[in-house]
Amino acid sequence: MELRTAASPKDVKHYTTERLREEFLIEQVFVPDEIKLVYSHIDRIITGSATPVTKELCLEAGAELRAEYFLQRRELGVINIGGDGIITVDGKKYDVAARNGMYIGMGKKEITFASKDAARPAKFYLNSAPAHYTYPTVLIKREGTPGDDVVIIKDENKVELGSLEESNHRTICKYILPGQVESCQLEMGMTSLEPGSVWNTMPCHTHDRRMEVYLYFDLPEDAVVMHYMGEPTETRHLVVRNEQAVISPSWSIHAGSGSRNYTFIWGMVGENQDFDDMDGVDNRTLR
């Protein structure tokens, strides 16, 4: 597990491009037949992946957590951006198709990841946060029939925003949030931009009560996203490519523009779970 410390905005304004990338960009999120994790001191989020191809992968705590098992004091959100896969939680198997996900509550001990087809492996994207209570473990589907441990994303949590004229026509699909999938602090969702649109979250904002991580994907090899970060009057940028992630501190804006449309997963942890608790930034004041 890779460890990254927090950074002050007073220091970040002096960072070189290489230092910015070293602190905030996760260049390789998915590694075949491995679980890769990055532990950030920013709200103690763990971001990473499980990419099973030829074998089943088991999630372990590692020495960094000083825990008997990974979810002893944590909760976990998962969204699959690859082929169909299987997540097994304490012996119970869940079929997790592409673009579906899971919330796994604190206290679950044995978690494994597998692909149904090695030729089209699952790519499980993971966000984990410290937890204080055990909420139910559920499979999260975009469509289908709900069940005892199956949640279907509600229509009101599939929000269409923006316009082609503003180059930001997009659909936000909320997976983990109060009223749908309960958690201690973790929220996750996916935003897809329509062809011809390239901007996400613009006008931009900050939310000092929580931090956020973006995973950008559905980009061809030669495409890039310019991810904008920093204080509103001291902005910086990162060049981000397909299946790379950016750690965004609570004091930083987080917005991007791509050389074409793309999809990204957002994950938030911190003080509260009010999705609309944002401090908007007027475009006229950005620098």
Side-chain angles (χ1 to χ4, degrees), residues 142 159-164 166-173 190-202 214-219 225 255-266:
R142 295 174 72 112
V159 183
E160 189 173 353
L161 295 174
S163 66
L164 188 59
E166 296 174 304
S167 302
N168 66 355
H169 186 195
R170 63 201 189 277
T171 299
I172 301 174
C173 193
M190 181 185 296
T191 300
S192 301
L193 276 71
E194 297 296 328
S197 289
V198 296
W199 279 102
N200 69 63
T201 321
M202 183 57 69
Y214 276 11
L215 170 74
Y216 291 100
F217 62 105
D218 283 347
L219 280 162
V225 172
S257 60
S259 58
R260 55 156 293 161
N261 65 308
Y262 52 89
T263 305
F264 66 99
I265 292 173
W266 43 269

Tab-separated table of all heavy atoms in Angstrom, residues 142 159-164 166-173 190-202 214-219 225 255-266:
chain	number	residue	atom	x	y	z
A	142	ARG	N	-27.604	-0.432	-11.614
A	142	ARG	CA	-28.191	0.710	-12.319
A	142	ARG	C	-29.621	0.413	-12.770
A	142	ARG	O	-30.453	1.308	-12.861
A	142	ARG	CB	-27.316	1.097	-13.504
A	142	ARG	CG	-25.943	1.613	-13.091
A	142	ARG	CD	-25.040	1.854	-14.283
A	142	ARG	NE	-25.430	3.000	-15.058
A	142	ARG	CZ	-24.730	4.129	-15.157
A	142	ARG	NH1	-23.592	4.267	-14.477
A	142	ARG	NH2	-25.149	5.130	-15.893
A	159	VAL	N	-29.194	12.126	-12.599
A	159	VAL	CA	-29.490	13.540	-12.846
A	159	VAL	C	-28.802	14.003	-14.124
A	159	VAL	O	-27.579	13.871	-14.275
A	159	VAL	CB	-29.026	14.411	-11.658
A	159	VAL	CG1	-29.407	15.863	-11.893
A	159	VAL	CG2	-29.622	13.894	-10.352
A	160	GLU	N	-29.572	14.559	-15.046
A	160	GLU	CA	-29.025	15.112	-16.284
A	160	GLU	C	-28.821	16.613	-16.107
A	160	GLU	O	-29.732	17.333	-15.693
A	160	GLU	CB	-29.969	14.834	-17.453
A	160	GLU	CG	-29.386	15.182	-18.810
A	160	GLU	CD	-30.278	14.732	-19.965
A	160	GLU	OE1	-31.279	14.031	-19.711
A	160	GLU	OE2	-29.973	15.089	-21.116
A	161	LEU	N	-27.606	17.071	-16.392
A	161	LEU	CA	-27.249	18.476	-16.181
A	161	LEU	C	-26.529	19.033	-17.401
A	161	LEU	O	-26.022	18.292	-18.241
A	161	LEU	CB	-26.344	18.624	-14.954
A	161	LEU	CG	-26.933	18.282	-13.577
A	161	LEU	CD1	-25.832	18.353	-12.526
A	161	LEU	CD2	-28.072	19.199	-13.219
A	162	GLY	N	-26.450	20.362	-17.440
A	162	GLY	CA	-25.642	21.028	-18.458
A	162	GLY	C	-26.287	21.035	-19.827
A	162	GLY	O	-27.441	20.645	-20.020
A	163	SER	N	-25.513	21.477	-20.811
A	163	SER	CA	-26.006	21.575	-22.187
A	163	SER	C	-24.828	21.471	-23.150
A	163	SER	O	-23.672	21.702	-22.783
A	163	SER	CB	-26.726	22.903	-22.407
A	163	SER	OG	-25.817	23.980	-22.302
A	164	LEU	N	-25.132	21.137	-24.403
A	164	LEU	CA	-24.095	21.068	-25.423
A	164	LEU	C	-23.517	22.453	-25.696
A	164	LEU	O	-22.311	22.597	-25.956
A	164	LEU	CB	-24.657	20.467	-26.707
A	164	LEU	CG	-23.655	20.142	-27.811
A	164	LEU	CD1	-22.600	19.157	-27.316
A	164	LEU	CD2	-24.366	19.571	-29.037
A	166	GLU	N	-22.929	24.715	-23.573
A	166	GLU	CA	-21.934	25.001	-22.548
A	166	GLU	C	-20.847	23.938	-22.474
A	166	GLU	O	-19.988	23.971	-21.592
A	166	GLU	CB	-22.619	25.112	-21.184
A	166	GLU	CG	-23.585	26.270	-21.082
A	166	GLU	CD	-24.356	26.252	-19.769
A	166	GLU	OE1	-25.013	25.235	-19.468
A	166	GLU	OE2	-24.279	27.248	-19.045
A	167	SER	N	-20.900	22.974	-23.402
A	167	SER	CA	-19.922	21.881	-23.491
A	167	SER	C	-19.866	21.032	-22.224
A	167	SER	O	-18.831	20.453	-21.895
A	167	SER	CB	-18.507	22.430	-23.795
A	167	SER	OG	-18.506	23.164	-24.989
A	168	ASN	N	-21.002	20.936	-21.495
A	168	ASN	CA	-21.000	20.167	-20.252
A	168	ASN	C	-22.290	19.355	-20.066
A	168	ASN	O	-22.774	19.183	-18.950
A	168	ASN	CB	-20.769	21.087	-19.051
A	168	ASN	CG	-21.906	22.076	-18.828
A	168	ASN	OD1	-22.844	22.159	-19.628
A	168	ASN	ND2	-21.819	22.829	-17.747
A	169	HIS	N	-22.842	18.844	-21.159
A	169	HIS	CA	-24.032	17.989	-21.075
A	169	HIS	C	-23.608	16.640	-20.490
A	169	HIS	O	-22.809	15.920	-21.077
A	169	HIS	CB	-24.642	17.798	-22.462
A	169	HIS	CG	-25.934	17.058	-22.438
A	169	HIS	ND1	-26.493	16.510	-23.570
A	169	HIS	CD2	-26.789	16.753	-21.409
A	169	HIS	CE1	-27.635	15.914	-23.258
A	169	HIS	NE2	-27.827	16.044	-21.951
A	170	ARG	N	-24.130	16.304	-19.307
A	170	ARG	CA	-23.648	15.137	-18.593
A	170	ARG	C	-24.757	14.528	-17.743
A	170	ARG	O	-25.740	15.198	-17.414
A	170	ARG	CB	-22.463	15.518	-17.681
A	170	ARG	CG	-22.810	16.513	-16.577
A	170	ARG	CD	-21.568	17.222	-16.054
A	170	ARG	NE	-21.821	18.036	-14.865
A	170	ARG	CZ	-22.290	19.267	-14.891
A	170	ARG	NH1	-22.585	19.851	-16.053
A	170	ARG	NH2	-22.468	19.941	-13.757
A	171	THR	N	-24.577	13.267	-17.393
A	171	THR	CA	-25.499	12.571	-16.500
A	171	THR	C	-24.746	12.110	-15.273
A	171	THR	O	-23.727	11.423	-15.378
A	171	THR	CB	-26.151	11.366	-17.199
A	171	THR	OG1	-26.891	11.822	-18.337
A	171	THR	CG2	-27.098	10.647	-16.248
A	172	ILE	N	-25.237	12.504	-14.100
A	172	ILE	CA	-24.650	12.096	-12.830
A	172	ILE	C	-25.461	10.939	-12.269
A	172	ILE	O	-26.673	11.053	-12.102
A	172	ILE	CB	-24.633	13.263	-11.825
A	172	ILE	CG1	-23.829	14.440	-12.390
A	172	ILE	CG2	-24.057	12.820	-10.489
A	172	ILE	CD1	-23.886	15.683	-11.514
A	173	CYS	N	-24.811	9.839	-12.005
A	173	CYS	CA	-25.459	8.651	-11.447
A	173	CYS	C	-24.889	8.412	-10.052
A	173	CYS	O	-23.706	8.090	-9.908
A	173	CYS	CB	-25.203	7.448	-12.358
A	173	CYS	SG	-26.240	6.025	-12.002
A	190	MET	N	-20.979	8.172	-10.473
A	190	MET	CA	-20.344	8.178	-11.793
A	190	MET	C	-20.993	9.258	-12.650
A	190	MET	O	-22.215	9.401	-12.661
A	190	MET	CB	-20.520	6.808	-12.460
A	190	MET	CG	-19.882	6.673	-13.830
A	190	MET	SD	-20.260	5.070	-14.614
A	190	MET	CE	-19.468	3.931	-13.480
A	191	THR	N	-20.164	10.015	-13.353
A	191	THR	CA	-20.649	11.054	-14.257
A	191	THR	C	-20.169	10.765	-15.666
A	191	THR	O	-18.975	10.532	-15.883
A	191	THR	CB	-20.149	12.444	-13.806
A	191	THR	OG1	-20.636	12.717	-12.482
A	191	THR	CG2	-20.647	13.527	-14.746
A	192	SER	N	-21.095	10.773	-16.624
A	192	SER	CA	-20.777	10.495	-18.028
A	192	SER	C	-21.095	11.718	-18.869
A	192	SER	O	-22.205	12.264	-18.790
A	192	SER	CB	-21.583	9.292	-18.528
A	192	SER	OG	-21.299	8.149	-17.760
A	193	LEU	N	-20.136	12.150	-19.671
A	193	LEU	CA	-20.329	13.292	-20.560
A	193	LEU	C	-20.803	12.817	-21.929
A	193	LEU	O	-20.334	11.799	-22.444
A	193	LEU	CB	-19.033	14.086	-20.708
A	193	LEU	CG	-18.745	15.120	-19.610
A	193	LEU	CD1	-18.379	14.443	-18.296
A	193	LEU	CD2	-17.622	16.058	-20.043
A	194	GLU	N	-21.719	13.574	-22.509
A	194	GLU	CA	-22.232	13.258	-23.837
A	194	GLU	C	-21.216	13.681	-24.911
A	194	GLU	O	-20.413	14.592	-24.685
A	194	GLU	CB	-23.560	13.981	-24.075
A	194	GLU	CG	-24.677	13.572	-23.127
A	194	GLU	CD	-25.073	12.120	-23.300
A	194	GLU	OE1	-24.989	11.613	-24.436
A	194	GLU	OE2	-25.463	11.493	-22.296
A	195	PRO	N	-21.233	13.014	-26.078
A	195	PRO	CA	-20.342	13.428	-27.164
A	195	PRO	C	-20.518	14.915	-27.479
A	195	PRO	O	-21.631	15.427	-27.545
A	195	PRO	CB	-20.804	12.549	-28.338
A	195	PRO	CG	-21.366	11.328	-27.689
A	195	PRO	CD	-22.021	11.817	-26.432
A	196	GLY	N	-19.382	15.593	-27.617
A	196	GLY	CA	-19.397	17.030	-27.858
A	196	GLY	C	-19.246	17.854	-26.601
A	196	GLY	O	-18.993	19.061	-26.667
A	197	SER	N	-19.391	17.212	-25.437
A	197	SER	CA	-19.196	17.899	-24.161
A	197	SER	C	-17.890	17.445	-23.534
A	197	SER	O	-17.530	16.265	-23.606
A	197	SER	CB	-20.361	17.611	-23.210
A	197	SER	OG	-21.531	18.271	-23.633
A	198	VAL	N	-17.187	18.381	-22.913
A	198	VAL	CA	-15.862	18.073	-22.374
A	198	VAL	C	-15.649	18.579	-20.948
A	198	VAL	O	-14.718	18.157	-20.266
A	198	VAL	CB	-14.746	18.648	-23.279
A	198	VAL	CG1	-14.776	17.999	-24.648
A	198	VAL	CG2	-14.859	20.169	-23.401
A	199	TRP	N	-16.517	19.477	-20.464
A	199	TRP	CA	-16.329	20.064	-19.141
A	199	TRP	C	-17.121	19.297	-18.089
A	199	TRP	O	-18.275	18.947	-18.299
A	199	TRP	CB	-16.801	21.517	-19.112
A	199	TRP	CG	-15.812	22.493	-19.649
A	199	TRP	CD1	-15.826	23.088	-20.877
A	199	TRP	CD2	-14.662	23.009	-18.971
A	199	TRP	NE1	-14.760	23.937	-21.010
A	199	TRP	CE2	-14.028	23.916	-19.860
A	199	TRP	CE3	-14.107	22.802	-17.717
A	199	TRP	CZ2	-12.867	24.608	-19.520
A	199	TRP	CZ3	-12.956	23.487	-17.376
A	199	TRP	CH2	-12.346	24.388	-18.272
A	200	ASN	N	-16.503	19.056	-16.951
A	200	ASN	CA	-17.232	18.545	-15.799
A	200	ASN	C	-17.198	19.583	-14.681
A	200	ASN	O	-16.255	20.355	-14.563
A	200	ASN	CB	-16.653	17.210	-15.308
A	200	ASN	CG	-15.280	17.342	-14.680
A	200	ASN	OD1	-15.098	18.005	-13.665
A	200	ASN	ND2	-14.272	16.693	-15.279
A	201	THR	N	-18.240	19.615	-13.879
A	201	THR	CA	-18.269	20.438	-12.665
A	201	THR	C	-17.821	21.872	-12.940
A	201	THR	O	-16.917	22.392	-12.313
A	201	THR	CB	-17.374	19.813	-11.574
A	201	THR	OG1	-17.513	18.398	-11.596
A	201	THR	CG2	-17.776	20.314	-10.198
A	202	MET	N	-18.448	22.503	-13.893
A	202	MET	CA	-18.105	23.887	-14.228
A	202	MET	C	-19.391	24.675	-14.403
A	202	MET	O	-20.253	24.230	-15.177
A	202	MET	CB	-17.260	23.922	-15.504
A	202	MET	CG	-16.780	25.304	-15.904
A	202	MET	SD	-15.815	26.164	-14.650
A	202	MET	CE	-14.299	25.191	-14.606
A	214	TYR	N	-11.203	11.734	-8.055
A	214	TYR	CA	-11.765	11.512	-9.390
A	214	TYR	C	-10.978	10.393	-10.078
A	214	TYR	O	-9.735	10.440	-10.117
A	214	TYR	CB	-11.622	12.765	-10.256
A	214	TYR	CG	-12.680	13.830	-10.116
A	214	TYR	CD1	-13.623	13.808	-9.089
A	214	TYR	CD2	-12.732	14.870	-11.027
A	214	TYR	CE1	-14.582	14.798	-8.987
A	214	TYR	CE2	-13.692	15.873	-10.933
A	214	TYR	CZ	-14.616	15.827	-9.911
A	214	TYR	OH	-15.563	16.818	-9.812
A	215	LEU	N	-11.693	9.438	-10.661
A	215	LEU	CA	-11.097	8.462	-11.577
A	215	LEU	C	-11.633	8.749	-12.971
A	215	LEU	O	-12.838	8.662	-13.210
A	215	LEU	CB	-11.454	7.026	-11.181
A	215	LEU	CG	-11.070	5.970	-12.230
A	215	LEU	CD1	-9.558	5.736	-12.238
A	215	LEU	CD2	-11.821	4.659	-12.014
A	216	TYR	N	-10.738	9.088	-13.898
A	216	TYR	CA	-11.135	9.372	-15.279
A	216	TYR	C	-10.962	8.111	-16.137
A	216	TYR	O	-9.928	7.439	-16.056
A	216	TYR	CB	-10.270	10.490	-15.859
A	216	TYR	CG	-10.516	11.848	-15.259
A	216	TYR	CD1	-9.670	12.365	-14.279
A	216	TYR	CD2	-11.583	12.638	-15.674
A	216	TYR	CE1	-9.878	13.630	-13.731
A	216	TYR	CE2	-11.798	13.903	-15.135
A	216	TYR	CZ	-10.950	14.392	-14.162
A	216	TYR	OH	-11.157	15.626	-13.632
A	217	PHE	N	-11.968	7.802	-16.974
A	217	PHE	CA	-11.844	6.636	-17.855
A	217	PHE	C	-12.739	6.818	-19.085
A	217	PHE	O	-13.288	7.902	-19.300
A	217	PHE	CB	-12.154	5.333	-17.108
A	217	PHE	CG	-13.548	5.204	-16.564
A	217	PHE	CD1	-14.480	4.379	-17.169
A	217	PHE	CD2	-13.930	5.899	-15.424
A	217	PHE	CE1	-15.755	4.245	-16.666
A	217	PHE	CE2	-15.203	5.767	-14.902
A	217	PHE	CZ	-16.124	4.944	-15.527
A	218	ASP	N	-12.844	5.784	-19.903
A	218	ASP	CA	-13.536	5.843	-21.202
A	218	ASP	C	-12.860	6.845	-22.132
A	218	ASP	O	-13.518	7.506	-22.950
A	218	ASP	CB	-15.015	6.203	-21.040
A	218	ASP	CG	-15.862	5.033	-20.557
A	218	ASP	OD1	-15.353	3.894	-20.583
A	218	ASP	OD2	-17.022	5.254	-20.161
A	219	LEU	N	-11.541	6.952	-22.030
A	219	LEU	CA	-10.758	7.829	-22.897
A	219	LEU	C	-9.889	6.999	-23.834
A	219	LEU	O	-9.256	6.035	-23.394
A	219	LEU	CB	-9.838	8.727	-22.061
A	219	LEU	CG	-10.424	9.967	-21.409
A	219	LEU	CD1	-9.507	10.451	-20.300
A	219	LEU	CD2	-10.650	11.063	-22.429
A	225	VAL	N	-7.367	14.573	-20.270
A	225	VAL	CA	-8.209	15.502	-19.522
A	225	VAL	C	-7.282	16.462	-18.781
A	225	VAL	O	-6.317	16.032	-18.131
A	225	VAL	CB	-9.115	14.769	-18.512
A	225	VAL	CG1	-9.838	15.777	-17.623
A	225	VAL	CG2	-10.126	13.885	-19.230
A	255	ALA	N	-12.084	20.272	-11.242
A	255	ALA	CA	-12.831	20.358	-12.492
A	255	ALA	C	-11.925	19.895	-13.611
A	255	ALA	O	-10.704	19.878	-13.466
A	255	ALA	CB	-13.311	21.790	-12.748
A	256	GLY	N	-12.524	19.502	-14.716
A	256	GLY	CA	-11.708	19.021	-15.820
A	256	GLY	C	-12.310	19.356	-17.168
A	256	GLY	O	-13.530	19.533	-17.300
A	257	SER	N	-11.452	19.446	-18.168
A	257	SER	CA	-11.886	19.576	-19.560
A	257	SER	C	-11.073	18.594	-20.388
A	257	SER	O	-9.855	18.508	-20.239
A	257	SER	CB	-11.708	21.011	-20.073
A	257	SER	OG	-10.351	21.395	-20.009
A	258	GLY	N	-11.756	17.836	-21.236
A	258	GLY	CA	-11.089	16.788	-22.000
A	258	GLY	C	-10.928	17.135	-23.460
A	258	GLY	O	-11.610	18.012	-23.994
A	259	SER	N	-10.027	16.428	-24.118
A	259	SER	CA	-9.887	16.582	-25.556
A	259	SER	C	-11.025	15.888	-26.291
A	259	SER	O	-11.163	16.016	-27.512
A	259	SER	CB	-8.535	16.036	-26.022
A	259	SER	OG	-8.392	14.666	-25.661
A	260	ARG	N	-11.852	15.156	-25.526
A	260	ARG	CA	-13.103	14.570	-26.006
A	260	ARG	C	-13.923	14.207	-24.771
A	260	ARG	O	-13.476	14.404	-23.640
A	260	ARG	CB	-12.851	13.336	-26.882
A	260	ARG	CG	-12.011	12.258	-26.224
A	260	ARG	CD	-12.295	10.905	-26.852
A	260	ARG	NE	-13.657	10.459	-26.556
A	260	ARG	CZ	-14.291	9.517	-27.263
A	260	ARG	NH1	-13.702	8.971	-28.302
A	260	ARG	NH2	-15.499	9.139	-26.927
A	261	ASN	N	-15.132	13.692	-24.986
A	261	ASN	CA	-15.953	13.330	-23.826
A	261	ASN	C	-15.380	12.102	-23.126
A	261	ASN	O	-14.587	11.339	-23.685
A	261	ASN	CB	-17.402	13.078	-24.249
A	261	ASN	CG	-17.560	11.876	-25.173
A	261	ASN	OD1	-16.879	11.768	-26.189
A	261	ASN	ND2	-18.453	10.985	-24.808
A	262	TYR	N	-15.786	11.891	-21.883
A	262	TYR	CA	-15.210	10.846	-21.039
A	262	TYR	C	-16.187	10.544	-19.911
A	262	TYR	O	-17.277	11.145	-19.817
A	262	TYR	CB	-13.856	11.302	-20.466
A	262	TYR	CG	-13.932	12.649	-19.782
A	262	TYR	CD1	-14.235	12.766	-18.423
A	262	TYR	CD2	-13.741	13.824	-20.519
A	262	TYR	CE1	-14.332	14.006	-17.814
A	262	TYR	CE2	-13.840	15.067	-19.912
A	262	TYR	CZ	-14.135	15.151	-18.569
A	262	TYR	OH	-14.249	16.385	-17.975
A	263	THR	N	-15.804	9.638	-19.033
A	263	THR	CA	-16.579	9.296	-17.849
A	263	THR	C	-15.653	9.396	-16.645
A	263	THR	O	-14.445	9.194	-16.770
A	263	THR	CB	-17.142	7.863	-17.957
A	263	THR	OG1	-17.894	7.738	-19.170
A	263	THR	CG2	-18.047	7.522	-16.780
A	264	PHE	N	-16.200	9.747	-15.488
A	264	PHE	CA	-15.376	9.719	-14.294
A	264	PHE	C	-16.203	9.266	-13.092
A	264	PHE	O	-17.419	9.441	-13.038
A	264	PHE	CB	-14.709	11.071	-14.014
A	264	PHE	CG	-15.625	12.200	-13.657
A	264	PHE	CD1	-15.809	12.576	-12.325
A	264	PHE	CD2	-16.289	12.921	-14.634
A	264	PHE	CE1	-16.628	13.627	-11.981
A	264	PHE	CE2	-17.115	13.984	-14.308
A	264	PHE	CZ	-17.293	14.337	-12.975
A	265	ILE	N	-15.517	8.612	-12.149
A	265	ILE	CA	-16.108	8.231	-10.874
A	265	ILE	C	-15.619	9.207	-9.821
A	265	ILE	O	-14.424	9.511	-9.751
A	265	ILE	CB	-15.726	6.794	-10.489
A	265	ILE	CG1	-16.377	5.793	-11.444
A	265	ILE	CG2	-16.141	6.479	-9.048
A	265	ILE	CD1	-15.908	4.360	-11.241
A	266	TRP	N	-16.537	9.706	-9.025
A	266	TRP	CA	-16.189	10.580	-7.913
A	266	TRP	C	-16.477	9.851	-6.601
A	266	TRP	O	-17.459	9.135	-6.458
A	266	TRP	CB	-16.942	11.906	-7.974
A	266	TRP	CG	-18.400	11.782	-8.341
A	266	TRP	CD1	-18.941	11.838	-9.592
A	266	TRP	CD2	-19.496	11.560	-7.429
A	266	TRP	NE1	-20.310	11.666	-9.523
A	266	TRP	CE2	-20.671	11.497	-8.211
A	266	TRP	CE3	-19.590	11.418	-6.053
A	266	TRP	CZ2	-21.939	11.294	-7.648
A	266	TRP	CZ3	-20.848	11.204	-5.482
A	266	TRP	CH2	-22.001	11.146	-6.279
